[in-house]
Amino acid sequence: MSEPRPSDRHDDSDPDETFAEIVDEATQRDPDLAVIEAGSRTLRTSSGPPQGQEVPARPADPEVDKALRAVEQELAGRWGETKLEPSVARIAALMDVLGEPQHAYPSIHITGTNGKTSTARMIEALLGAFDLRTGRYTSPHVQSITERISLDGSPIDPERFIEAYQDIKPYVEMVDAQQPYRLSFFEVLTGMAYAAFADAPVDVAVVEVGMGGSWDATNVIDSSVAVVTPISLDHTDRLGATPAEIAGEKSGIIKQGATVVLAQQPVDAAQVMLKKAVEVDATVAREGMEFGVLSREIAVGGQLLTLRGLGGEYEEVFLPLYGAHQAHNAAVALCAVEAFFGIGAEQPGALDIDTVRRAFASVISPGRLEVVRSSPTVVLDAAHNPAGARATADGISEAFGFSRLIGVVGASGDKDVKGLLEAFEPIFAEVVVTQNSSGRAMDADELAAVAVEVFGHDRVQVEPRLDDALEAAITLAEEEDEYAGAGVLVTGSVITVGEARLLLGRH
């Protein structure tokens, strides 16, 4: 197993000792025993120390928590994220009455099907390492709604989130009164983020679309860099039935004269993106052509990469995330930041390698092949479509080498659930199907019927309650001594992963 060598320390300490310190700081997974109550059951859990920025817990102050719940309730009373009236008219009206806060800072806009949030986190880490104040807007959240709006790499605190909502609420109500439909949950959050970034103020905003591109609420920004992560089939009822149709919608974030950073794409999707770039005179950087992953090796707590960027090669970059897909996300993020700084165009040379290494070594992505328990090891991953599931299956097989893997799957009813399960079938010895608390969750019995088609009766267990499903999977993993290397993967939905994370004591 390869180990990354330290490159961001400049003292006279022994290199081996320095590397050991880096690994201890970034990837230590020694568990602290914790006992939590989960419904009528007790789950034995153990979780390592925080690794960088953690997902925020509920506010400790009861009054603040009450105020945050009131804001959450008001937002929940609006159209949810899956109910859409494709238009930017409402968000544009809100931006107008707010004084166009989205134009107060440059931005990097990210679309695609999978990998958007992890890529956004990497871009944010790189920009922050170069002493820029960042704002990041991503969705959905894993546990707390405040995760969606981050400043300087951390979710805004609850008090600031409440204040951001109260500040724009009168303007939201004004726009509501003028439009055929009220602003949606996502549109209001987008307004809050853009206003909070202007108020901070930030040097650059990193913005992930909610869905699609051209009519997504985030698409009132005028970004100099547009990033397109891998496109695959998802939200086909709204975005299109083929990668090309979906790419047509997502290409709407590409603005006149911008730089487009394209991850590896299906051929038909790439053709659509390139055509759009020509129409708006955008510069294109393609993974596998202008940038990419030159090499990757498994390393302690992650992987060691050599990346090719627009400015040259970046060697010995340690990324504390698992899976080939995260290496490709890293290449995309690096290229996006190079493009933002004008590397490869206005200015020659590469970004400072020590700064790049330090930034990538700090990256975390909660709920993306995240280890939250040991003995047996429990891993969380928010894969919710077949393409994401295939990447997760490959990543967990490569990084963990479990002798036996038990799946816990809770999926949304509007997804390609059979395709998702088929992607996991080769790596799951057994699967426990369950459901999360969302109204979009597929009924556990319905999910079980699909799972039986894929796995057969003998490999499927049904536990409608998530706490029961976790306990059942852990019991199955511990069942026989010969399976000392068994593990559990919780997946199928960001909501399932977030709720499992809480049950397993990660705050």
Side-chain angles (χ1 to χ4, degrees):
M1 182 174 287
S2 301
E3 295 183 345
R5 294 197 296 269
S7 56
D8 58 349
R9 306 287 181 95
H10 303 284
D11 55 29
D12 297 324
S13 59
D14 180 79
D16 291 335
E17 292 178 357
T18 305
F19 170 68
E21 292 174 5
I22 295 172
V23 172
D24 285 343
E25 291 172 5
T27 66
Q28 181 183 358
R29 300 201 183 274
D30 292 337
D32 295 322
L33 186 65
V35 178
I36 64 167
E37 190 70 18
S40 61
R41 307 281 188 128
T42 298
L43 295 174
R44 286 167 296 126
T45 68
S46 56
S47 56
Q51 298 172 45
Q53 171 206 43
E54 279 292 293
V55 173
R58 297 298 309 183
D61 185 327
E63 291 303 313
V64 175
D65 188 50
K66 181 180 178 181
L68 179 60
R69 289 185 188 278
V71 171
E72 291 170 327
Q73 186 173 3
E74 288 190 27
L75 289 170
R78 294 179 173 273
W79 273 4
E81 290 173 282
T82 59
K83 185 173 182 178
L84 303 168
E85 194 277 317
S87 169
V88 294
R90 292 176 301 280
I91 188 68
L94 180 60
M95 293 297 100
D96 181 53
V97 296
L98 290 175
E100 306 293 349
Q102 79 280 18
H103 297 320
Y105 37 80
S107 58
I108 297 175
H109 205 178
I110 306 169
T111 190
T113 302
N114 292 309
K116 296 188 295 295
T117 297
S118 292
T119 302
R121 285 177 172 273
M122 294 179 197
I123 292 172
E124 173 188 52
L126 283 163
L127 293 169
F130 284 99
D131 297 324
L132 293 182
R133 187 166 203 203
T134 57
R136 173 172 53 83
Y137 181 52
T138 53
S139 61
H141 56 274
V142 177
Q143 287 175 204
S144 170
I145 195 172
T146 60
E147 297 167 38
R148 295 178 179 236
I149 305 173
S150 290
L151 293 173
D152 295 323
S154 296
I156 63 175
D157 58 46
E159 293 88 348
R160 194 163 191 169
F161 186 90
I162 296 163
E163 182 181 359
Y165 176 73
Q166 296 298 341
D167 283 347
I168 74 165
K169 183 178 177 179
Y171 302 97
V172 168
E173 293 172 345
M174 185 187 308
V175 173
D176 283 344
Q178 297 170 347
Q179 296 292 323
Y181 303 100
R182 297 172 71 215
L183 287 153
S184 69
F185 168 89
F186 186 73
E187 288 168 336
V188 175
L189 276 174
T190 302
M192 289 169 59
Y194 288 164
F197 295 160
D199 184 61
V202 302
D203 296 315
V204 56
V206 182
V207 178
E208 173 189 338
V209 303
M211 186 186 300
S214 62
W215 45 255
D216 187 75
T218 62
N219 202 31
V220 289
I221 53 175
D222 189 14
S223 297
S224 61
V225 179
V227 175
V228 186
T229 66
I231 291 173
S232 60
L233 299 182
D234 200 5
H235 302 295
T236 53
D237 56 331
R238 299 176 179 87
L239 302 180
T242 66
E245 290 178 356
I246 294 171
E249 172 55 36
K250 293 181 181 293
S251 69
I253 74 163
I254 302 173
K255 302 304 195 306
Q256 186 73 34
T259 298
V260 187
V261 179
L262 283 181
Q264 291 179 345
Q265 303 291 347
V267 173
D268 56 347
Q271 289 173 338
V272 171
M273 288 290 173
L274 293 173
K275 181 180 178 181
K276 175 68 174 184
V278 170
E279 289 173 357
V280 297
D281 195 27
T283 302
V284 179
R286 300 156 294 177
E287 185 180 7
M289 300 290 287
E290 287 77 23
F291 72 96
V293 179
L294 293 183
S295 68
R296 53 182 296 271
E297 302 174 63
I298 304 300
V300 177
Q303 51 193 310
L304 186 64
L305 310 176
T306 296
L307 304 175
R308 184 177 75 247
L310 301 177
E313 292 186 12
Y314 299 79
E315 298 179 339
E316 299 176 359
V317 175
F318 175 59
L319 180 67
L321 300 175
Y322 301 107
H325 60 295
Q326 294 290 17
H328 291 286
N329 289 340
V332 170
L334 177 63
C335 181
V337 173
E338 285 184 312
F340 180 79
F341 284 126
I343 300 294
E346 290 90 352
Q347 76 183 71
L351 297 174
D352 179 71
I353 183 61
D354 289 336
T355 305
V356 168
R357 287 171 177 155
R358 186 167 62 251
F360 276 118
S362 73
V363 171
I364 67 166
S365 195
R368 276 75 179 179
L369 285 178
E370 178 188 21
V371 177
V372 293
R373 185 197 195 275
S374 63
S375 301
T377 299
V378 177
V379 183
L380 306 180
D381 192 88
H384 56 274
N385 56 47
R390 287 190 292 270
T392 296
D394 289 344
I396 204 164
S397 298
E398 174 187 79
F400 294 90
F402 292 121
S403 61
R404 184 168 181 254
L405 183 63
I406 309 300
V408 176
V409 179
S412 296
D414 58 349
K415 299 296 181 180
D416 179 2
V417 174
K418 187 173 183 181
L420 177 103
L421 293 173
E422 287 174 340
F424 285 124
E425 190 277 332
I427 68 167
F428 285 167
E430 298 180 61
V431 61
V432 181
V433 297
T434 187
Q435 64 191 75
N436 58 55
S437 64
S438 167
R440 296 171 56 203
M442 177 176 261
D443 177 79
D445 290 330
E446 292 180 20
L447 180 56
V450 180
V452 166
E453 291 181 32
V454 176
F455 291 89
H457 285 280
D458 294 343
R459 294 167 64 193
V460 178
Q461 182 171 333
V462 186
E463 295 289 351
R465 287 170 50 123
L466 181 56
D467 56 334
D468 291 341
L470 292 171
E471 184 178 33
I474 289 170
T475 299
L476 286 169
E478 294 176 327
E479 206 165 52
E480 300 177 39
D481 291 340
E482 64 181 287
Y483 292 129
V488 174
L489 173 64
V490 184
T491 189
S493 164
V494 176
I495 297 169
T496 299
V497 163
E499 293 180 356
R501 207 173 186 273
L502 280 171
L503 289 169
L504 292 166
R506 299 292 283 192
H507 302 293

